[in-house]
Amino acid sequence: MLIGLVGAPNKGKSTLFSALTLAEAEIADYAFTTINPNIGVAYAKRECVEKELGVKCRPRNSLCINGMRQLPVNIIDVAGLVPGAHLGKGMGNQFLNDLANADVLIQVVDITGKTDVHGKQAENQDPAEEVRMVAEEIAQWLAGIIQKHISAISKRSDSDKALAELLSGFRASQEQVKLAAERAFLPLSGINWSADETLKFSRELLKMIKPTIIAANKCDKASSNALEELKKSLPGYTVIGCSAMLELALRKAEKAGVVEIGEKALRIKEGLPKEKKDALEYISRYIDERGTTGVTELLNTAVFDFLSNIVVYPVEDENKYTDHFGNVLPDAVLVKRGSTAFNLAEKVHTDLAKSMKYAVDAKTKMRLAKDHVLKDNDVIKIAAH
């Protein structure tokens, strides 16, 4: 699983990346801060099943903090896209190519309207324009790749299969290719589309293979109605307000031990310099008003809603919920909604899947067939030969 951070320059992508990963991505207030893509690990969060079971977990493949299981996912932040990026302007196609393997995109926009689509300081800019510009650049980029191969594709009797093969590297299935062509009212036999037809196809395909969440960044500096106005301007999009800078400051303060993040409030350490204390109190008030900085919501929406993942806990002892070392609920595994017990066995180890006989629901102790469909927060033992 790979989540891509995209957007025009100087919108706060690198700050969001650092807030999600606590990696030291270069951050500055000018365009094209990111020259090489930043790749890191972020953590989606779900309430751990330990409370339901009345045990204390000992995680191996994830973290558990204050009863919240934190599940690692890969994330990539690439350079800002400017109008004409697909033609090589700005940082050019190199960074569009970095997005080829992304399963879902988070586009960061400046909801204050104080930077334009080129990342330069401005006033009263429409962040919806950024969304449309980036979507079009990505569509033009994909259409350009298809057009480079359209002559070869048209010469094949199975041109639909040839197109699907070309697009498999972009995480597109043959079924998605077929559906995109239908929605663009284009034939899949004897493909020899024009540039305009290919662009229509690319727009439809990208909706499926690169679904996009809009991160309305810098909400702490925006007018009170800015978020609702942006949502009205972007029907069909999921728009989430956030402040990457406040989240990053909060995480760094937590790492330094000057603040504790509780379930309901922040606890600020006594004796801090006034400037630091004032800054943390400002963050605390912001969270009290909104409940969150929005950063975790962005990642959770990508992982659980857009990519339809659930969390399942494989164990070896269904009575103690442990592995063979005695670790309680050691692993939390992300699997696609609709996955079976056999799919879970494949995730744990290919040899386990090959020798699997059945599964056991550790909560009910009931025996389950290989094709049993898993539910969120299931605790499962895989029984093998």
Side-chain angles (χ1 to χ4, degrees):
M1 184 191 313
L2 180 64
I3 297 171
L5 297 184
V6 299
N10 200 19
K11 307 299 176 181
K13 287 187 292 79
S14 295
T15 305
L16 179 59
F17 177 85
S18 292
L20 285 166
T21 64
L22 269 189
E24 293 301 320
E26 186 180 356
I27 299 168
D29 191 25
Y30 56 86
F32 301 119
T33 304
T34 305
I35 302 302
N36 296 309
N38 296 311
I39 301 174
V41 176
Y43 291 87
K45 297 177 184 178
R46 266 290 171 86
E47 187 172 7
C48 184
V49 76
E50 64 174 9
K51 185 176 180 180
E52 179 187 342
L53 299 178
V55 298
K56 182 66 188 118
C57 69
R58 193 187 301 169
R60 293 188 315 176
N61 77 335
S62 51
L63 306 171
C64 190
I65 300 172
N66 296 326
M68 296 298 293
R69 201 69 170 223
Q70 305 197 15
L71 302 122
V73 294
N74 296 314
I75 191 162
I76 181 170
D77 163 34
V78 302
L81 300 177
V82 298
H86 70 282
L87 299 173
K89 294 182 181 179
M91 295 294 101
N93 285 322
Q94 172 188 348
F95 300 101
L96 286 163
N97 292 336
D98 288 326
L99 299 177
N101 290 322
D103 298 290
V104 63
L105 305 180
I106 296 176
Q107 182 180 344
V108 185
V109 302
D110 179 358
I111 198 172
T112 67
K114 292 185 177 180
T115 50
D116 64 18
V117 292
H118 297 276
K120 296 177 181 178
Q121 296 299 313
E123 293 292 336
N124 302 318
Q125 298 296 300
D126 181 5
E129 183 184 348
E130 299 174 25
V131 175
R132 290 186 280 268
M133 181 275 290
V134 168
E136 187 64 8
E137 286 301 324
I138 296 174
Q140 291 275 6
W141 158 72
L142 183 59
I145 292 170
I146 296 171
Q147 275 292 302
K148 285 180 183 177
H149 297 84
I150 203 73
S151 178
I153 289 171
S154 68
K155 292 174 183 175
R156 283 181 51 170
S157 58
D158 58 345
S159 55
D160 57 334
K161 185 178 179 182
L163 180 61
E165 288 171 358
L166 172 66
L167 296 172
S168 62
F170 301 93
R171 302 290 182 95
S173 68
Q174 192 161 354
E175 185 59 34
Q176 287 171 325
V177 169
K178 180 181 177 181
L179 185 57
E182 288 176 0
R183 290 177 177 175
F185 303 102
L186 294 169
L188 268 176
S189 59
I191 293 173
N192 192 14
W193 300 333
S194 68
D196 285 345
E197 288 173 329
T198 303
L199 182 57
K200 288 179 183 178
F201 169 81
S202 297
R203 288 171 181 152
E204 292 296 336
L205 184 64
L206 284 166
K207 293 174 186 176
M208 291 180 273
I209 66 171
K210 299 289 182 277
T212 303
I213 303 165
I214 306 304
N217 194 28
K218 309 183 186 181
C219 268
D220 54 309
K221 298 177 181 179
S223 62
S224 58
N225 65 340
L227 183 58
E228 288 307 312
E229 289 299 316
L230 181 58
K231 288 179 179 180
K232 289 177 185 177
S233 298
L234 295 171
Y237 278 94
T238 296
V239 181
I240 297 174
C242 69
S243 175
M245 187 61 76
L246 294 191
E247 178 73 14
L248 180 59
L250 183 60
R251 292 301 164 188
K252 285 189 172 182
E254 182 185 32
K255 195 174 182 180
V258 298
V259 67
E260 291 181 7
I261 304 174
E263 286 187 29
K264 296 181 179 179
L266 301 182
R267 292 186 289 273
I268 301 170
K269 185 178 178 181
E270 296 293 333
L272 293 177
K274 185 178 185 304
E275 186 178 343
K276 283 189 177 180
K277 183 180 178 183
D278 288 348
L280 289 171
E281 287 180 344
Y282 172 76
I283 296 173
S284 181
R285 288 193 299 272
Y286 182 86
I287 293 174
D288 285 344
E289 288 176 12
R290 309 207 181 197
T292 173
T293 64
V295 170
T296 295
E297 186 182 353
L298 277 170
L299 190 62
N300 282 353
T301 299
V303 173
F304 299 116
D305 297 338
F306 274 51
L307 296 179
S308 296
N309 284 296
I310 61 173
V311 184
V312 181
Y313 297 81
V315 297
E316 292 182 54
D317 186 328
E318 70 271 32
N319 297 305
K320 296 180 180 178
Y321 315 118
T322 60
D323 62 11
H324 64 281
F325 295 111
N327 296 309
V328 178
L329 300 171
D331 298 323
V333 180
L334 288 167
V335 297
K336 289 285 187 182
R337 194 173 299 278
S339 294
T340 64
F342 180 75
N343 296 145
L344 176 63
E346 290 178 311
K347 278 256 185 182
V348 174
H349 201 285
T350 52
D351 289 342
L352 181 63
K354 288 176 183 176
S355 61
M356 178 182 180
K357 293 192 294 183
Y358 59 88
V360 177
D361 184 329
K363 294 180 182 178
T364 65
K365 315 307 177 192
M366 289 183 62
R367 181 167 168 163
L368 308 172
K370 289 183 180 182
D371 62 356
H372 174 81
V373 177
L374 301 170
K375 304 184 302 298
D376 197 29
N377 262 9
D378 268 351
V379 183
I380 301 293
K381 173 185 176 176
I382 304 296
H385 294 295

